[in-house]
Amino acid sequence: MAMTLHLDVVSAEKELFSGTVSAVFAPARMGDVGIYPRHTPLVTSLRPGELKIEMEGKEDQYLYVSGGILEVQPHVVTVLSDTAIRAEDLDEAQAMEAKQRAEDALRDQKGDLDAAKAQAELARAAEQLRMIERMRKMRK
Amino acid sequence: MAGEKEIRTQIASIKNTQKITKAMEMVAASKMRKAQDRMSATRPYSQKMLNVIGHLANAHAEYHHPFLIEHEEIRRVGFIIVSTDRGLCGGLNINAFKAALKAMQDWQQKGVDIDLCLIGAKGTAFFKRFSGNIISQVSHLGDTVHIDELIGTIKTMLDAYTEGSIDRLFLVENEFVNTMTQRPKVSTLLPLVAEDNEDLKHHWDYIYEPDAKVVLDELLRRYIESIVYQSVVENVACEMAARMIAMKSASDNAGELIGELQLAYNKARQAAITQEISEIVGGAAAV
């Protein structure tokens, strides 16, 4: 059997790479790793960095990953790539923001906007009703 | 009988409306196709992830992540409700809200409190008026949703589960069956129930970097996020399909209305002509 690996690189939004390769180099959390066929099973998280893919008879391919998870089985390698930039405090900030938005929505900060939209909808409904009324009269 | 001119302006205005609804129909159709493509593009990620989680859970049965632990006593449950930002898409949102309300009522009858996490402006507007404590909210995501816009919102719920302030987490979404049918669906996000899969029985002796806990935590978080993300993308496809159908029937109705008005207009015109003739004839006879 030829010494090859099957590599899948997927992100939440799309599949980035799928195919047979001869080696993969990834920016693992504890330092860069190079993976050749028959590597020992490994699971590690990734740092943001460059994923280098070596293919036989083809030029090397580079993919940027902004973190994620790397799973290695002897002949199958899976990279679950993040599309977003992740960091504990950044996530936290975003969570706070989401809470804030909920509070704002409840306190009716965007009340003006909602009211304007409601008014527009009301006007449209009233217009439709008038229309129907007119139609009815006409039939009589 | 309405006057000729009046009917003519009415016909013109309905024709304008019909033009708009036709345009919206076509826009929704093309957007739907794109959304469907995106929907299928998100699948490999969660499938691959589920595989890895399965491998890990098998290889590492002794460590229980908070997301895998079932809380025995249920005092408070969380709902993530996915809705659209804009209306004019038929009963899509209302059907999902009805399903959500029904599930929420079942819990409320058991004396369980409810926390809400709302994705989409319509959901926020709707649930503001209902019982339930809105924890987090995100809206105006547009047609191309990116996962980073959802991370914070989902994290609030995941943290609540880890801390034990909610004991179950549900997801309410629209399932894209086909262009004509979108079905509301309520599913359990947390606790994650490990599925026994024959393919996963073979387990690897993994090396973990930095360690199993950290890796598993990252994995599970991303897994939940990807599920919610998928449902949001699916909801966009549903929205476009529903809008397409709604606009199609609106255009059809406008066509019908125009037909009826045209008939009324012709009658009015003929009546006026007839009247004029009889007046002339009557006048001539009198002379």
Side-chain angles (χ1 to χ4, degrees):
Chain A
M1 183 182 162
M3 291 291 274
T4 52
L5 277 169
H6 185 80
L7 172 70
D8 284 307
V9 185
V10 289
S11 80
E13 284 168 28
K14 57 175 180 258
E15 191 168 58
L16 298 171
F17 182 91
S18 177
T20 309
V21 303
S22 49
V24 186
F25 299 89
R29 180 73 27 134
M30 313 283 280
D32 288 6
V33 289
I35 292 150
Y36 287 90
R38 295 199 199 150
H39 194 282
T40 188
L42 165 78
V43 177
T44 176
S45 56
L46 297 177
R47 286 180 289 119
E50 209 172 46
L51 194 74
K52 185 182 169 198
I53 303 166
E54 273 186 16
M55 284 177 284
E56 229 162 284
K58 275 191 215 160
E59 260 186 41
D60 295 355
Q61 209 176 320
Y62 294 91
L63 283 174
Y64 175 77
V65 288
S66 59
I69 309 268
L70 171 78
E71 191 217 16
V72 183
Q73 290 169 16
H75 286 284
V76 181
V77 175
T78 311
V79 179
L80 302 164
S81 154
D82 288 342
T83 42
I85 296 163
R86 305 292 296 257
E88 191 55 39
D89 42 349
L90 191 68
D91 284 10
E92 191 65 52
Q94 275 171 345
M96 293 303 289
E97 219 173 279
K99 280 186 192 170
Q100 190 59 43
R101 274 197 302 268
E103 279 164 26
D104 288 353
L106 277 182
R107 241 188 291 119
D108 235 346
Q109 289 247 314
K110 289 187 218 136
D112 292 352
L113 197 76
D114 281 358
K117 220 184 277 170
Q119 253 164 8
E121 268 169 11
L122 186 70
R124 200 179 309 142
E127 192 51 49
Q128 275 167 352
L129 275 176
R130 222 171 293 147
M131 180 78 233
I132 292 165
E133 206 73 43
R134 253 185 258 156
M135 290 285 300
R136 281 220 187 102
K137 265 191 211 146
M138 231 181 310
R139 285 222 183 110
K140 267 174 203 167
Chain B
M1 186 69 80
E4 267 176 73
K5 191 156 184 296
E6 229 174 279
I7 302 179
R8 211 164 35 216
T9 40
Q10 261 180 32
I11 292 177
S13 97
I14 295 174
K15 271 190 181 153
N16 278 338
T17 312
Q18 194 186 28
K19 264 182 221 155
I20 295 171
T21 54
K22 266 217 180 104
M24 280 180 83
E25 180 193 331
M26 282 187 276
V27 170
S30 89
K31 278 187 179 171
M32 183 186 75
R33 224 156 292 139
K34 274 183 214 148
Q36 267 177 303
D37 290 344
R38 268 200 298 276
M39 205 170 92
S40 47
T42 60
R43 290 231 168 92
Y45 183 71
S46 57
Q47 261 162 15
K48 287 268 159 12
M49 193 163 255
L50 201 60
N51 274 346
V52 177
I53 292 173
H55 286 148
L56 286 191
N58 269 328
H60 224 86
E62 73 279 0
Y63 171 63
H64 286 291
H65 189 271
F67 292 170
L68 302 170
I69 300 167
E70 196 165 334
H71 298 191
E72 303 244 318
E73 195 191 346
I74 295 171
R75 279 156 295 150
R76 190 173 265 276
V77 294
F79 279 88
I80 295 180
I81 299 170
V82 183
S83 63
T84 68
D85 277 335
R86 272 177 281 170
L88 292 183
C89 50
L92 185 76
N93 285 319
I94 287 297
N95 288 342
F97 297 159
K98 267 191 205 154
L101 283 178
K102 194 166 165 287
M104 282 158 66
Q105 245 165 20
D106 288 348
W107 285 109
Q108 271 166 341
Q109 271 161 12
K110 289 182 209 159
V112 176
D113 291 328
I114 288 167
D115 280 352
L116 292 175
C117 162
L118 303 169
I119 300 173
K122 286 282 159 186
T124 316
F126 183 85
F127 283 98
K128 223 158 43 174
R129 279 176 273 140
F130 279 88
S131 58
N133 175 22
I134 303 175
I135 295 274
S136 57
Q137 182 263 340
V138 65
S139 57
H140 304 288
L141 296 169
D143 298 330
T144 319
V145 191
H146 294 293
I147 199 161
D148 28 338
E149 292 164 301
L150 297 171
I151 290 170
T153 318
I154 302 165
K155 187 181 159 68
T156 55
M157 287 317 240
L158 295 184
D159 287 352
Y161 191 84
T162 315
E163 287 161 13
S165 56
I166 58 169
D167 306 303
R168 280 270 195 293
L169 183 59
F170 297 98
L171 176 70
V172 183
E173 52 155 337
N174 279 299
E175 196 183 354
F176 188 91
V177 183
N178 54 44
T179 318
M180 301 295 288
T181 326
Q182 295 87 37
R183 201 181 299 135
K185 193 172 83 179
V186 182
S187 52
T188 311
L189 274 184
L190 292 176
L192 277 174
V193 188
E195 276 175 51
D196 269 331
N197 191 334
E198 280 303 315
D199 304 343
L200 303 174
K201 281 288 174 254
H202 173 80
H203 74 84
W204 304 96
D205 229 350
Y206 283 111
I207 301 171
Y208 296 99
E209 271 181 25
D211 63 71
K213 258 185 175 169
V214 176
V215 174
L216 203 57
D217 185 66
E218 282 195 16
L219 257 179
L220 290 175
R221 243 168 224 288
R222 280 168 177 69
Y223 179 62
I224 302 283
E225 279 162 11
S226 80
I227 291 181
V228 177
Y229 174 72
Q230 257 183 347
S231 72
V232 173
V233 173
E234 194 168 348
N235 202 61
V236 174
C238 287
E239 178 189 351
M240 292 311 161
R243 180 165 300 137
M244 193 179 88
I245 301 298
M247 288 303 118
K248 188 174 161 37
S249 63
S251 309
D252 292 350
N253 287 344
E256 256 171 56
L257 216 55
I258 290 171
E260 279 173 38
L261 281 173
Q262 195 72 53
L263 208 65
Y265 171 72
N266 289 345
K267 270 186 194 163
R269 199 173 68 93
Q270 277 170 1
I273 293 170
T274 313
Q275 201 185 347
E276 216 167 297
I277 290 174
S278 60
E279 269 166 18
I280 293 169
V281 171
V287 170

